[in-house]
Amino acid sequence: MSYVAKTAKYATLVLACLVTLLPISVIVMASLKTNQEFFTTGPFDAPGNWFNLENYVTAFTRGKMVQGFANTAFILLFSVAGTILIGTMAAYAIDRFEFRLKKTVIALFLLATLVPGVTTQVATFQIVNNLGLYNTRWAAIALFMGTDIVSIYIFVQFLRGIPKELDEAATLDGANHLTIYRRIILPLLKPAIATVVIIKGIAVYNEFYTPFLYMPGRDLGVISTSLFRFKGPFGGQWEVIAAGVIIVLIPTLLAFLALQKYIYNGFTSGATK
């Protein structure tokens, strides 16, 4: 690689890092300032006290972020578990069984990924309302579990790498389809399950639209809607809003740093199968 190419590569990387980290560093410094400091200093000026955590305490206590984390954890647990159960079973049926209109079903799965979600919101809202799920946590859980075509696609891609001879050997030993799924297929899908847990978990954690529309009750706020509601009581306190943003960012950042190897492996494995 020539000197010019190396220089251009590193310059691009440095520029990308600056574009990514600069806004976060501004928010971190804002979250450590007092209200007076925030309005009398520039965005790149350092706070007077780097250990001023008063804004974080205010965000946690008065901003109801603890309740937001609890609601998010509840929805996350059931949504991810349901997605794995439904996704692995659907993928097992699609990949291992021959049935009428199989190709049509697969085509409909692919077609569903092309339909913009916003175009079906009126019908979706009516269904959720008629089921009595509106303004409950189960509205978000049902929608997160039932609309994840990408997870099914990931499971199907991994299933195609598992030899069908394992199923046939288990059948000769007297195992039925449910036993094969539970004792053979599901354990071998652990890499795919890890990938889906990470991708789905981050998506549910960051989701704003679904909880905001289907869970308007203030006691049902998740972490994203709790932060959005800061604009009311803390509309003039940008330093508290900045602290809330950092609190929301920390779990996602830690999860990505700890699990980035599995995320990359999952994407590359699914892409090469």
Side-chain angles (χ1 to χ4, degrees):
M1 186 180 292
S2 66
Y3 176 77
V4 175
K6 282 185 179 179
T7 304
K9 181 181 73 173
Y10 286 109
T12 305
L13 291 173
V14 170
L15 181 63
C17 290
L18 286 176
V19 170
T20 305
L21 295 177
L22 200 59
I24 297 176
S25 62
V26 170
I27 294 174
V28 170
M29 288 192 289
S31 69
L32 298 173
K33 293 180 180 178
T34 63
N35 186 263
Q36 185 180 3
E37 275 185 309
F38 184 86
F39 286 105
T40 55
T41 60
F44 298 103
D45 293 337
N49 180 10
W50 284 95
F51 299 100
N52 175 27
L53 302 179
E54 185 179 348
N55 297 323
Y56 290 89
V57 175
T58 303
F60 256 115
T61 54
R62 292 172 55 196
K64 296 186 176 181
M65 299 206 75
V66 175
Q67 190 177 47
F69 273 114
N71 288 331
T72 302
F74 183 85
I75 294 171
L76 194 62
L77 177 65
F78 284 94
S79 299
V80 172
T83 297
I84 292 170
L85 188 64
I86 295 172
T88 51
M89 285 187 169
Y92 178 54
I94 290 172
D95 187 67
R96 290 297 202 259
F97 293 93
E98 294 297 331
F99 51 87
R100 287 184 180 179
L101 303 177
K102 178 179 177 178
K103 292 183 179 178
T104 305
V105 171
I106 296 173
L108 289 174
F109 270 118
L110 295 176
L111 181 64
T113 62
L114 303 176
V115 178
V118 69
T119 61
T120 60
Q121 281 306 304
V122 174
T124 304
F125 185 88
Q126 289 177 340
I127 293 172
V128 170
N129 192 38
N130 289 334
L131 289 173
L133 300 178
Y134 178 69
N135 207 20
T136 69
R137 298 181 187 88
W138 298 105
I141 292 171
L143 290 173
F144 288 141
M145 282 196 303
T147 57
D148 199 349
I149 307 299
V150 176
S151 297
I152 296 175
Y153 179 76
I154 291 174
F155 287 131
V156 169
Q157 296 304 308
F158 272 83
L159 258 172
R160 288 176 180 168
I162 300 175
K164 293 184 179 179
E165 288 76 9
L166 292 175
D167 301 29
E168 295 168 358
T171 303
L172 292 175
D173 289 337
N176 56 30
H177 294 305
L178 184 59
T179 304
I180 294 172
Y181 163 78
R182 184 170 56 85
R183 303 190 67 174
I184 296 176
I185 299 298
L186 205 54
L188 291 176
L189 281 178
K190 280 182 181 177
I193 291 173
T195 303
V196 171
V197 166
I198 295 165
I199 297 172
K200 187 73 178 179
I202 293 175
V204 172
Y205 181 84
N206 290 329
E207 176 65 22
F208 171 79
Y209 180 75
T210 299
F212 183 73
L213 181 62
Y214 293 96
M215 297 160 50
R218 298 195 70 84
D219 293 339
L220 298 175
V222 296
I223 199 66
S224 57
T225 54
S226 296
L227 180 62
F228 175 74
R229 285 167 182 153
F230 272 30
K231 68 182 179 59
F234 306 117
Q237 295 177 267
W238 289 99
E239 69 282 0
V240 178
I241 295 175
V245 171
I246 297 301
I247 291 172
V248 172
L249 279 178
I250 288 173
T252 308
L253 185 62
L254 293 178
F256 177 77
L257 291 175
L259 304 171
Q260 58 179 318
K261 180 178 69 175
Y262 300 100
I263 297 174
Y264 296 145
N265 288 343
F267 277 123
T268 53
S269 297
T272 55
K273 286 181 184 296

